[in-house]
Amino acid sequence: QVQLVESGGGLAQPGGSLRLSCLASGFTFGDYAMTWARQAPGKGLERVATLYPDGGNRYYLNSVRGRFTISRDNAANTLYLQMNSLKPEDTALYLCARGYRTPYDYRGQGTQVTVSS
């Protein structure tokens, strides 16, 4: 069955960095666009970044463009999100999802990112 398991979240100071990983299984990872999305308390799910199967086309939320980088290793079935220059407003549950727009057909449980001094 399809599984998406995120890791790498935690507590970071403003201006700090974190790298999230999402290990995928149960499908041919390289055939699908993959998305990082986030949900802050009391808010809806927000698409942060998408990487298409060719590895070249990317989407970024305006507020993270230039700070976050999405990448993938198809041989390792892993999606990454490098997050630099973190801000308190980046605090959220980050999850990876299969596809490029809602409704995503599969999504992980998420990893919590908290940015605070």
Side-chain angles (χ1 to χ4, degrees):
Q1 71 278 22
V2 173
Q3 285 191 313
L4 299 169
V5 180
E6 302 92 340
S7 61
L11 176 64
Q13 292 189 339
S17 298
L18 286 172
R19 189 193 196 205
L20 306 184
S21 299
C22 171
L23 180 61
S25 61
F27 65 103
T28 304
F29 180 72
D31 287 350
Y32 290 85
M34 295 295 296
T35 291
W36 284 102
R38 67 187 181 187
Q39 188 160 23
K43 296 187 177 181
L45 191 64
E46 180 177 54
R47 181 163 71 133
V48 174
T50 297
L51 183 55
Y52 292 88
D54 62 6
N57 289 317
R58 292 169 170 81
Y59 160 87
Y60 289 104
L61 181 68
N62 282 343
S63 62
V64 308
R65 188 174 291 115
R67 300 189 296 121
F68 291 9
T69 302
I70 188 171
S71 62
R72 65 194 297 162
D73 182 342
N74 288 340
N77 291 341
T78 303
L79 182 73
Y80 301 101
L81 185 68
Q82 177 67 43
M83 305 187 296
N84 298 330
S85 302
L86 283 163
K87 303 177 180 180
E89 51 263 44
D90 295 320
T91 295
L93 181 70
Y94 283 73
L95 54 90
C96 70
R98 193 175 80 171
Y100 59 92
R101 62 181 179 184
T102 56
Y104 304 110
D105 56 356
Y106 292 97
R107 46 189 278 184
Q109 295 294 312
T111 185
Q112 179 66 38
V113 171
T114 302
V115 184
S116 174
S117 56

mmCIF file of all heavy atoms in Angstrom, residues 1 3 8 24 32-33 36 44 48 59-60 67 73-74 81 84 87 92 97 106 113:
data_model
loop_
_atom_site.group_PDB
_atom_site.id
_atom_site.type_symbol
_atom_site.label_atom_id
_atom_site.label_comp_id
_atom_site.label_asym_id
_atom_site.label_seq_id
_atom_site.Cartn_x
_atom_site.Cartn_y
_atom_site.Cartn_z
ATOM 1 N N GLN A 1 0.832 -1.180 0.000
ATOM 2 C CA GLN A 1 0.000 0.000 0.000
ATOM 3 C C GLN A 1 0.880 1.248 0.000
ATOM 4 O O GLN A 1 2.030 1.199 0.408
ATOM 5 C CB GLN A 1 -0.933 0.014 1.218
ATOM 6 C CG GLN A 1 -0.258 0.266 2.558
ATOM 7 C CD GLN A 1 0.361 -0.950 3.156
ATOM 8 O OE1 GLN A 1 0.676 -1.921 2.455
ATOM 9 N NE2 GLN A 1 0.589 -0.945 4.457
ATOM 10 N N GLN A 3 2.534 4.485 1.181
ATOM 11 C CA GLN A 3 2.894 5.099 2.459
ATOM 12 C C GLN A 3 3.815 6.277 2.202
ATOM 13 O O GLN A 3 4.698 6.225 1.344
ATOM 14 C CB GLN A 3 3.588 4.103 3.377
ATOM 15 C CG GLN A 3 2.660 3.084 4.014
ATOM 16 C CD GLN A 3 3.342 2.304 5.119
ATOM 17 O OE1 GLN A 3 4.445 1.830 4.963
ATOM 18 N NE2 GLN A 3 2.665 2.199 6.263
ATOM 19 N N GLY A 8 12.263 14.921 10.137
ATOM 20 C CA GLY A 8 13.144 16.074 10.079
ATOM 21 C C GLY A 8 12.617 17.348 10.713
ATOM 22 O O GLY A 8 13.330 18.350 10.777
ATOM 23 N N ALA A 24 8.817 7.554 0.532
ATOM 24 C CA ALA A 24 7.626 7.024 -0.129
ATOM 25 C C ALA A 24 7.784 5.535 -0.421
ATOM 26 O O ALA A 24 8.890 5.053 -0.678
ATOM 27 C CB ALA A 24 7.379 7.772 -1.426
ATOM 28 N N TYR A 32 5.340 10.430 -10.316
ATOM 29 C CA TYR A 32 4.359 11.348 -9.754
ATOM 30 C C TYR A 32 4.952 12.692 -9.347
ATOM 31 O O TYR A 32 6.081 12.762 -8.851
ATOM 32 C CB TYR A 32 3.699 10.734 -8.508
ATOM 33 C CG TYR A 32 2.786 9.589 -8.823
ATOM 34 C CD1 TYR A 32 3.283 8.292 -8.964
ATOM 35 C CD2 TYR A 32 1.411 9.792 -8.988
ATOM 36 C CE1 TYR A 32 2.440 7.238 -9.262
ATOM 37 C CE2 TYR A 32 0.574 8.740 -9.278
ATOM 38 C CZ TYR A 32 1.095 7.472 -9.417
ATOM 39 O OH TYR A 32 0.254 6.424 -9.708
ATOM 40 N N ALA A 33 4.143 13.749 -9.541
ATOM 41 C CA ALA A 33 4.442 15.012 -8.886
ATOM 42 C C ALA A 33 4.259 14.821 -7.383
ATOM 43 O O ALA A 33 3.365 14.094 -6.940
ATOM 44 C CB ALA A 33 3.503 16.102 -9.387
ATOM 45 N N TRP A 36 4.923 19.318 -0.941
ATOM 46 C CA TRP A 36 4.964 19.610 0.499
ATOM 47 C C TRP A 36 3.858 20.623 0.781
ATOM 48 O O TRP A 36 3.746 21.637 0.084
ATOM 49 C CB TRP A 36 6.299 20.210 0.909
ATOM 50 C CG TRP A 36 7.420 19.223 1.009
ATOM 51 C CD1 TRP A 36 8.413 19.002 0.106
ATOM 52 C CD2 TRP A 36 7.653 18.299 2.076
ATOM 53 N NE1 TRP A 36 9.244 18.010 0.535
ATOM 54 C CE2 TRP A 36 8.809 17.565 1.762
ATOM 55 C CE3 TRP A 36 7.007 18.027 3.281
ATOM 56 C CZ2 TRP A 36 9.325 16.563 2.589
ATOM 57 C CZ3 TRP A 36 7.517 17.041 4.108
ATOM 58 C CH2 TRP A 36 8.665 16.321 3.760
ATOM 59 N N GLY A 44 -6.251 26.343 7.149
ATOM 60 C CA GLY A 44 -6.406 25.255 6.202
ATOM 61 C C GLY A 44 -5.075 24.771 5.668
ATOM 62 O O GLY A 44 -4.013 25.338 5.957
ATOM 63 N N VAL A 48 2.929 24.329 -0.176
ATOM 64 C CA VAL A 48 4.192 25.037 0.002
ATOM 65 C C VAL A 48 5.070 24.910 -1.245
ATOM 66 O O VAL A 48 5.613 25.898 -1.738
ATOM 67 C CB VAL A 48 4.944 24.496 1.231
ATOM 68 C CG1 VAL A 48 6.329 25.119 1.345
ATOM 69 C CG2 VAL A 48 4.128 24.726 2.501
ATOM 70 N N TYR A 59 6.938 24.391 -8.211
ATOM 71 C CA TYR A 59 6.054 25.452 -7.739
ATOM 72 C C TYR A 59 6.472 25.788 -6.321
ATOM 73 O O TYR A 59 6.788 24.896 -5.529
ATOM 74 C CB TYR A 59 4.589 24.981 -7.741
ATOM 75 C CG TYR A 59 3.708 25.816 -6.841
ATOM 76 C CD1 TYR A 59 3.109 26.974 -7.316
ATOM 77 C CD2 TYR A 59 3.519 25.465 -5.506
ATOM 78 C CE1 TYR A 59 2.320 27.760 -6.478
ATOM 79 C CE2 TYR A 59 2.735 26.247 -4.673
ATOM 80 C CZ TYR A 59 2.145 27.390 -5.158
ATOM 81 O OH TYR A 59 1.385 28.163 -4.330
ATOM 82 N N TYR A 60 6.463 27.080 -5.983
ATOM 83 C CA TYR A 60 6.691 27.521 -4.604
ATOM 84 C C TYR A 60 5.631 28.534 -4.210
ATOM 85 O O TYR A 60 5.271 29.422 -5.000
ATOM 86 C CB TYR A 60 8.065 28.182 -4.449
ATOM 87 C CG TYR A 60 9.235 27.235 -4.543
ATOM 88 C CD1 TYR A 60 10.014 27.184 -5.685
ATOM 89 C CD2 TYR A 60 9.557 26.393 -3.479
ATOM 90 C CE1 TYR A 60 11.085 26.318 -5.782
ATOM 91 C CE2 TYR A 60 10.630 25.518 -3.559
ATOM 92 C CZ TYR A 60 11.393 25.491 -4.715
ATOM 93 O OH TYR A 60 12.456 24.620 -4.796
ATOM 94 N N ARG A 67 13.638 30.902 -0.075
ATOM 95 C CA ARG A 67 14.068 30.392 1.235
ATOM 96 C C ARG A 67 14.006 28.874 1.308
ATOM 97 O O ARG A 67 14.814 28.247 1.986
ATOM 98 C CB ARG A 67 13.192 30.979 2.344
ATOM 99 C CG ARG A 67 13.234 32.494 2.436
ATOM 100 C CD ARG A 67 12.514 32.987 3.685
ATOM 101 N NE ARG A 67 11.081 32.666 3.663
ATOM 102 C CZ ARG A 67 10.467 31.930 4.600
ATOM 103 N NH1 ARG A 67 11.157 31.419 5.609
ATOM 104 N NH2 ARG A 67 9.154 31.706 4.521
ATOM 105 N N ASP A 73 14.951 12.452 -4.690
ATOM 106 C CA ASP A 73 15.885 11.400 -5.088
ATOM 107 C C ASP A 73 15.020 10.215 -5.485
ATOM 108 O O ASP A 73 14.549 9.475 -4.608
ATOM 109 C CB ASP A 73 16.831 11.076 -3.935
ATOM 110 C CG ASP A 73 17.869 10.017 -4.302
ATOM 111 O OD1 ASP A 73 17.661 9.295 -5.306
ATOM 112 O OD2 ASP A 73 18.857 9.894 -3.584
ATOM 113 N N ASN A 74 14.817 10.052 -6.762
ATOM 114 C CA ASN A 74 13.920 8.982 -7.215
ATOM 115 C C ASN A 74 14.477 7.596 -6.905
ATOM 116 O O ASN A 74 13.711 6.660 -6.659
ATOM 117 C CB ASN A 74 13.639 9.131 -8.703
ATOM 118 C CG ASN A 74 12.735 10.308 -9.027
ATOM 119 O OD1 ASN A 74 12.021 10.810 -8.146
ATOM 120 N ND2 ASN A 74 12.761 10.763 -10.260
ATOM 121 N N LEU A 81 12.637 18.797 1.586
ATOM 122 C CA LEU A 81 12.358 20.230 1.623
ATOM 123 C C LEU A 81 13.427 20.871 2.502
ATOM 124 O O LEU A 81 13.447 20.663 3.719
ATOM 125 C CB LEU A 81 10.965 20.529 2.176
ATOM 126 C CG LEU A 81 10.567 22.007 2.116
ATOM 127 C CD1 LEU A 81 10.374 22.446 0.654
ATOM 128 C CD2 LEU A 81 9.288 22.263 2.914
ATOM 129 N N ASN A 84 15.394 27.287 4.760
ATOM 130 C CA ASN A 84 16.372 28.230 5.297
ATOM 131 C C ASN A 84 15.675 29.526 5.693
ATOM 132 O O ASN A 84 14.540 29.790 5.284
ATOM 133 C CB ASN A 84 17.449 28.517 4.256
ATOM 134 C CG ASN A 84 18.234 27.291 3.859
ATOM 135 O OD1 ASN A 84 18.425 26.365 4.647
ATOM 136 N ND2 ASN A 84 18.703 27.264 2.614
ATOM 137 N N LYS A 87 11.055 31.594 9.555
ATOM 138 C CA LYS A 87 10.330 32.660 10.236
ATOM 139 C C LYS A 87 9.281 32.045 11.150
ATOM 140 O O LYS A 87 8.804 30.924 10.881
ATOM 141 C CB LYS A 87 9.641 33.555 9.209
ATOM 142 C CG LYS A 87 10.576 34.176 8.188
ATOM 143 C CD LYS A 87 9.795 34.979 7.166
ATOM 144 C CE LYS A 87 10.735 35.605 6.128
ATOM 145 N NZ LYS A 87 9.980 36.398 5.125
ATOM 146 N N ALA A 92 4.182 25.164 11.546
ATOM 147 C CA ALA A 92 3.039 24.396 11.042
ATOM 148 C C ALA A 92 3.379 22.918 11.071
ATOM 149 O O ALA A 92 4.534 22.535 11.282
ATOM 150 C CB ALA A 92 2.703 24.811 9.606
ATOM 151 N N ALA A 97 2.633 14.957 0.111
ATOM 152 C CA ALA A 97 1.453 14.423 -0.543
ATOM 153 C C ALA A 97 1.782 14.047 -1.976
ATOM 154 O O ALA A 97 2.642 14.665 -2.615
ATOM 155 C CB ALA A 97 0.330 15.462 -0.519
ATOM 156 N N TYR A 106 -2.950 10.728 -1.707
ATOM 157 C CA TYR A 106 -2.282 10.184 -0.529
ATOM 158 C C TYR A 106 -1.468 11.290 0.132
ATOM 159 O O TYR A 106 -0.907 12.153 -0.557
ATOM 160 C CB TYR A 106 -1.352 9.028 -0.901
ATOM 161 C CG TYR A 106 -2.070 7.796 -1.376
ATOM 162 C CD1 TYR A 106 -2.235 7.548 -2.732
ATOM 163 C CD2 TYR A 106 -2.618 6.887 -0.466
ATOM 164 C CE1 TYR A 106 -2.920 6.430 -3.176
ATOM 165 C CE2 TYR A 106 -3.296 5.767 -0.902
ATOM 166 C CZ TYR A 106 -3.445 5.551 -2.259
ATOM 167 O OH TYR A 106 -4.118 4.441 -2.697
ATOM 168 N N VAL A 113 6.958 21.498 12.563
ATOM 169 C CA VAL A 113 8.022 22.492 12.515
ATOM 170 C C VAL A 113 7.595 23.675 13.363
ATOM 171 O O VAL A 113 6.506 24.238 13.151
ATOM 172 C CB VAL A 113 8.297 22.950 11.070
ATOM 173 C CG1 VAL A 113 9.254 24.142 11.049
ATOM 174 C CG2 VAL A 113 8.865 21.798 10.248
#
